Amino acid sequence: MRLSILLLVFFISFTGFAQDYDFGKISKEELIEKFNPLDSSASATYLYKYRRTYYNYVQGQGFQLITDVHERIKIYNQEGFKYATKSIMLYRDNSTREKVGNLKAYTYNLINNKIDDVKLKKDGVFNTEKSSYFDETKFTMPNVKEGSVIEYEYKLISPFYWNVDEFEFQHDIPVKKIYAKIEIPEYFNFKVNTKGYLLVTPESSSKRGKITFNDRTRTEGRLGASKTTFSSSSIDFQTYITSYNINNIPALKDEPYVNNINNYRSSVKYELSYTKFPNSPMDFYSTTWEDVVKTIYKSSNFGEELNKTGYFEDDIDAIIATTSDPFNRLSLIFDFVKSKVKWNEYYGKYTDKGVRKAYKEQVGNVAEINLMLTSMLRHAGLNANPVLVSTRNNGIPLFPTRIGYDYVISCVEMPEGNILLDATSKYGSPNILPYRVLNWDGRIIRKDGNSTLVSLYPKTNSKNTVTMVVKLDEEGSIEGNYRISKTNHNALSYRVKFNNANENDFLEKLENKYGGIEISDFKVSNATDLTKPVTETYKFFKESQADIIGNKIYFSPLFFLATKENPFKLEKREFPVDFGFPSESMYRIIINLPEGYEVESIPEVAVLALPDNLGTFKYNISQKGSVINLIITTEINESIISPLYYDALREYFKMFIEKENEQIVLSKT
């Protein structure tokens, strides 16, 4: 009897806390929950994510790719409100496009201990054309508050049966449960590519399917009467099912110096390898990088555009007539394209309106500008080829895929080495690519159809050279002159920010960056002359840059330039540290001390080094009379540092930050 009661209590307890994932079956427990029990820092949690991807055959149209989506999200605080907005990107190709159907969505709140639901209305759903290839369906859930649960489901219908969206298992917030499956007819063969650090074990099964064809035949009788005959036939086929059932997935949290966190997000990508339909030969898609390259190169919006030359020949012949030097020709053509054709901010490895029209209208997308550039360089006798690139926002193409690249640049192969060019970048130079492009390797496509990888990361350090002359007074205020010189990628970044900004706004941000410093006589030199370093100079004044205690003054000789915080806080890191490009900084600081004070103590000279020459920090300080001279040099010699060095890198940053903040002590004489 006692055992029966215990089992009954257990059953009631278990069912009371059991989760119901049917749409609309929201529990009070979900609404009452104040935080995720496994991650109290989470601003929201996916309570449930469901996805089913499968194929549906429509007579007269062929196979459609259908994806059913159901998501339920708990929002804990205002920071989590952003998860109440859902964006669905829809691919289109001319009149053929993906579409969203059967959308329904509700917001749930607990009011007076009762569950209140508010439905998303049609006027809360917005459809927007985002680019030549993508539309967007976007909605924001109504009546969202702290503690709300939101839920939506929809059907994504795609005629592009080869383009299966990536199955993502890990997100920026925790996930309590994911159930996902894909059902693939035997006519399609996919490669399955996985990434991330989450252990995912799929389950496999199969089922039989059937396609029924309905036919109607109309015949004329002997006396003019017509007759309609209906018939049907069917084909049986096998469907292979892969399902993923995962619980309690931790959030994937972004970290400093990660090129794209999505590169490390646990997911599965299905890439169509080939199709084999009844009574038809095999049709191969991307199975190797050679297949990918050939498919892209043969496209009318890539290879054919690259071969067009008649629209520019006279102009280029006139430009290069005065020089036969290969690098001079390269530079003249590169500068000509940058000034001639403006980038419309659209990415893409394929042209949109074509190189000829882009040249005439003086505006184009990435492919139009850089394929045009490549063609012009070839016309000038240079060994130029296009380079397929995946930008930082697009991630890293780990496996052979046509959709892994979203950008194209140009490469000129010379005896001295490769020269990479991107004419969309107004302030870029040879081998100084915009930051968006600095993403591991690109793939050079040559005329004969073969391809090779080329590193997109620069080999030359970008430099910052700072000179600062400071006068410190007995009140702890400082005034002086500041000068910084920037080269390579540091210069590119500065020019983009400065030349695209209002100078007053730029100055205000600079003053705020250094804690309210007062700046005067501000001047920038070589803002558009790319052959020289860009320099910034100004006079400054800042109060309270030293602590005065009794008859002593304490201050860091770097003042407002000292690094305050170590960006590497985590004990362990699984991702590479991506600095984007190698860099070098030098600080020369001359400090004039206030009258009536002498140096009581001064930091010691120090040298720090990372293993394998990855980086160095040198701190050299000296005093002569009432003047202190400080020289600091820092180097990071690699664009990417393996996580194997993370402990050393974290300790290196900790030590040099401590060194930069060590203080000089003055005492009154």
Side-chain angles (χ1 to χ4, degrees), residues 615-634:
T616 58
F617 171 86
K618 297 178 181 178
Y619 184 101
N620 197 326
I621 191 167
S622 62
Q623 175 212 353
K624 186 174 182 180
S626 61
V627 177
I628 292 175
N629 285 279
L630 173 67
I631 297 178
I632 294 178
T633 58
T634 63

Side-chain angles (χ1 to χ4, degrees), residues 539-574:
K539 293 181 179 179
F540 63 86
F541 173 79
K542 195 170 190 331
E543 296 179 333
S544 304
Q545 284 293 282
D547 295 322
I548 301 173
I549 303 174
N551 292 327
K552 296 183 180 181
I553 299 178
Y554 301 81
F555 64 94
S556 161
L558 273 169
F559 299 106
F560 54 84
L561 298 178
T563 308
K564 300 297 182 184
E565 189 175 9
N566 189 344
F568 304 110
K569 297 181 174 63
L570 296 180
E571 293 291 333
K572 181 182 177 183
R573 175 161 170 153
E574 296 173 319

Side-chain angles (χ1 to χ4, degrees), residues 284-304:
F284 287 92
Y285 286 74
S286 55
T287 54
T288 66
W289 282 118
E290 287 72 23
D291 295 328
V292 170
V293 167
K294 288 177 182 177
T295 301
I296 293 173
Y297 200 89
K298 289 178 181 178
S299 168
S300 60
N301 295 323
F302 192 96
E304 290 183 16

Side-chain angles (χ1 to χ4, degrees), residues 412-430:
V412 177
E413 298 178 70
M414 289 188 166
E416 301 82 6
N418 293 333
I419 299 177
L420 300 175
L421 305 164
D422 183 357
T424 69
S425 177
K426 183 177 180 180
Y427 303 110
S429 305

Side-chain angles (χ1 to χ4, degrees), residues 6 11 16 23 39 51 66 69 88 114 308 345 364 406 422:
L6 288 173
F11 177 77
F23 190 90
D39 184 356
R51 170 177 162 178
I66 312 295
V69 173
I88 308 165
K114 292 184 178 180
K308 294 176 180 178
E345 306 289 328
D406 66 333
D422 183 357

Side-chain angles (χ1 to χ4, degrees), residues 251-264:
L252 181 67
K253 297 182 179 180
D254 208 351
E255 300 176 25
Y257 300 106
V258 172
N259 59 354
N260 185 336
I261 194 66
N262 289 325
N263 292 331
Y264 313 103

Side-chain angles (χ1 to χ4, degrees), residues 168-239:
E168 291 188 346
F169 302 124
Q170 201 168 19
H171 296 268
D172 301 338
I173 54 176
V175 184
K176 288 194 175 182
K177 183 175 183 62
I178 281 183
Y179 182 71
K181 64 179 177 178
I182 182 169
E183 303 172 13
I184 302 175
E186 63 180 86
Y187 310 126
F188 303 93
N189 183 278
F190 283 87
K191 291 188 301 178
V192 182
N193 301 315
T194 61
K195 64 182 175 70
Y197 298 94
L198 186 70
L199 180 62
V200 177
T201 305
E203 296 180 359
S204 300
S205 60
S206 64
K207 66 179 182 181
R208 298 299 297 173
K210 178 184 288 188
I211 298 174
T212 300
F213 301 93
N214 296 309
D215 297 310
R216 184 176 67 174
T217 305
R218 191 175 181 86
T219 59
E220 297 290 336
R222 285 183 300 172
L223 300 178
S226 61
K227 181 181 179 181
T228 301
T229 303
F230 295 92
S231 63
S232 65
S233 60
S234 62
I235 296 177
D236 293 327
F237 62 92
Q238 191 83 355
T239 295

